[in-house]
Amino acid sequence: MVVPGSQHIEDKMYHPPEGLQKDAHVPDFNCYLELYKKSIEEPDVFWKEVASDFYWKKPPTGQILQYNFDVTKGNIYVKCMEGATTNMCYNVLDRNVKDKNLGERVAFYWEGNSPDHHEAITYGQLLGQVCRCSNTLKQMGVRKGDRVAIYLPMIPELVYTMLACTRIGAVHSIVFAGFSAESLCERIMDSQCSILVTADGVYRGEKLINLKQIADEALEKCREKASATVTRCLVVKHHALRTQDGDVSNKLSQSSVNLTPVVFPVVQTPWDAACDVCWEEVMGQVSEQCEPEWLDAEDPLFILYTSGSTGKPKGVLHTVAGYLLYTSLTFKYVFDHQPDDVYWCTADIGWITGHSYITYGPLANGATSVLFEGIPVHPHVGRFWEVIEKYRVTKFYTAPTAIRLLMKYGLDPVQKYDLSSLRILGTVGEPINPEAWHWYHEVIGQKRCPVVDTFWQTETTFPFFGVEPTILNEHGEELEGEAEGYLVFRRPWPGIMRTVYGNQERFESTYFKKFPGFYVTGDGCRRDKDGYYWIAGRIDDMINVSGHLLSTAEVEASLTDHGAVAEAAVVSRPHAVKGECLYCFVTLKDCREFNRTLVDELKRQVREKIGPIATPDFIQNAPGLPKTRSGKIMRRVLRQIARNEKDLGDLSTMADPKVVEVLFNHRCETAS
């Protein structure tokens, strides 16, 4: 593995222990090169071997991968296993229970927000609950192709619901339970969901979040903006919101999770009998048997919304067969999954990492995982290490943001726990700085655990099997050897996104129009003399905050919705824990005063419209913005001002250079 920040390759090479290499699926670099060569030169042979481990009701009829990446030659498309029929849920559950006899194996150790709340769920139990949920959704009118919005915290019911959708051929659209009512509404309307599944509330640390109230606000916004698409709302009663004697508010009965009740304030859950359905009541009335719906390989599996550079979230669509093949293989090889592993990914299922490496990838491999609802520092700063010791976790996968946060607390919280079970560490979602990498490797991994990643376009890496990257300059010319430019891909892999839901034109324009014949990631990249790809970060107007990719345009639109703001520009600023944070410049309308009250209002507005993850760290008064003579905002200059960097380079294209001095003067009042 390679660590950023060293000048000489020999100073930054870390080799895994011999014992780990011996039984590894990819024991050395030469083995990797052989497999990679096969995946590129003989893709049909390679992916057919991967597919042979899964159940297909009908086999494929043509090439495993067919595609067009060139907009000048027609519509962009990717097809994987065309002609085949299968079912994702059958392959990750029934196949493990019935064919591999893993019914008694633990699929998830669920660990709640409070250490007192925990549960072990076997593959057999998981299959039964998923079938119950499938039958419940069918009773509520859900059919193949329908979209189901899921707005749940990290509780078992989230996994039950997403797998139930895949079982009956519905398309799940999971919305991270930290998003606002406005964001939830936007995603429901765009994907035209007919059912919403939510919970009454959730505790994050000591903070109570009333999810049902937020969900109701979102549905009301849907009704105001258009004819409502959601006809029913399935509501889970969260275990932590039960009273001492098990009684609950309103219509909700006791949770199906068999846990000791804990005293917390009871949420007065709003209830609409014409729309709302109680999860616990209906789940007890349906069968644990449900035949899967057999789907075409390219039928949609899920829609997941990501921030768009235009401000409107993009509904990224993935399909059944390709996602099954790719997540199962990346999990197996990247984490070197072995039968005795206990694996833990700390991500939220509301993000793509959670879809891939909490649910689909691990379950496809029959893995035992930890499903974690809590936060790293509740009820104490050693919570992560406590969980690792408790379940004897062997593979641990978290974000650089969490690593940087826990570094602040020093060695004491770590040394209290036994981390000797760990064999491999993972990091994902954003670039990791050298200091955090070394701390992770030396303190948590005790210098014996390799640190791996899954390459979500942000890490330093070699390409995975079937992935063929290259680097282009501004003119679209390929660069050989050591080079720096645009990261693009020549060909698809099975798990690549298929389109932007309902907007193929946006999909083609965003990813394929700039350089016809290539998939354009939007990242800048450097390739070193040893062939490693160093991902430099976004070239377009996107910011990676704590591993969450946020659109500057979406935040700017939220700021300018305020009556006092005439114009806004948002850039990134380095942050010791988050990696990057939001630094906002706002130009006020005439006669409006910039003060602390206004700043608080603007932060609150962004939180309400997008969610807490998008809350700006800095909002600066900007009487004017640096613009070119054609009126384009010079974000490069704003980023340097946010960082207090005085060497601004060439300003010859700026319409009014005096703006820069004014902004620096105002900046001194805002940030150190």
Side-chain angles (χ1 to χ4, degrees), residues 567 624-634 653-656 659:
E567 191 172 23
L625 293 171
K627 297 181 180 179
T628 63
R629 292 178 180 85
S630 63
K632 185 177 180 180
I633 295 173
M634 300 178 71
T653 60
M654 189 180 295
D656 182 9
V659 167

Side-chain angles (χ1 to χ4, degrees), residues 200 235-256 261-262 264-269 271 278 280-281:
D200 50 357
V235 186
V236 177
K237 177 65 187 177
H238 195 293
H239 64 88
L241 304 182
R242 290 186 286 166
T243 60
Q244 182 77 41
D245 59 4
D247 291 337
V248 294
S249 58
N250 300 315
K251 286 276 189 179
L252 297 174
S253 62
Q254 190 146 326
S255 171
S256 60
V262 176
F264 278 113
V266 176
V267 175
Q268 294 302 312
T269 309
W271 196 264
C278 175
E280 289 74 22
E281 290 180 2

Side-chain angles (χ1 to χ4, degrees), residues 96-116:
N96 283 321
V97 173
K98 299 172 183 177
D99 299 341
K100 296 183 177 292
N101 297 316
L102 299 180
E104 298 303 311
R105 175 178 289 182
V106 172
F108 290 108
Y109 290 112
W110 177 71
E111 182 79 7
N113 179 65
S114 166
D116 294 333

